[in-house]
Amino acid sequence: MLVSLILWMDWNSSFTLLFLITTLWLGMVGGYDDYLKLKFKNSKGLSAKKKFLFQNLCALVVALYLFFLKSLMYSVRDLGCIRRLLKWCRIQVES
């Protein structure tokens, strides 16, 4: 997946960088879990609470990035398909 990301995705897009960072973050959590399983030769690895914490931390960072980044925040009037849907539902939209 990372090879296709590197070869074919638009590197100027913030979504590409977000996708890359998310993939690497979750891959490192999984890799560390596997490392602990191999190191101690048992199936325990990283505890479920820690895995859940790291995955939720990643999700929180992604959510905050998407919510607060001004270049990704669109108003309803900028999204044509949503505007047409709102007009179809007879909801007034400012121009």
Side-chain angles (χ1 to χ4, degrees):
M1 180 168 63
L2 288 177
V3 173
S4 63
L5 174 72
I6 292 169
L7 291 177
W8 290 295
M9 289 191 77
D10 178 20
W11 284 96
N12 295 325
S13 172
S14 60
F15 291 115
T16 300
L17 297 176
L18 185 66
F19 179 65
L20 176 66
I21 291 168
T22 303
T23 302
L24 291 175
W25 179 284
L26 295 176
M28 287 189 313
V29 170
Y32 184 64
D33 180 43
D34 292 342
Y35 169 74
L36 290 176
K37 288 177 184 178
L38 291 173
K39 181 180 176 184
F40 295 114
K41 296 185 186 342
N42 63 22
S43 62
K44 291 191 178 189
L46 200 60
S47 71
K49 287 181 183 180
K50 287 182 183 176
K51 278 191 269 191
F52 191 65
L53 173 74
F54 288 130
Q55 290 169 353
N56 280 320
L57 183 64
C58 179
L60 178 67
V61 168
V62 168
L64 289 175
Y65 176 78
L66 290 174
F67 186 74
F68 288 110
L69 186 67
K70 292 186 185 203
S71 67
L72 295 177
M73 294 178 70
Y74 301 107
S75 65
V76 171
R77 67 176 178 261
D78 294 334
L79 298 174
C81 60
I82 293 177
R83 187 173 182 198
R84 286 190 298 273
L85 177 66
L86 292 175
K87 280 187 177 181
W88 183 77
C89 295
R90 294 180 173 74
I91 297 173
Q92 184 65 32
V93 179
E94 293 179 15
S95 295

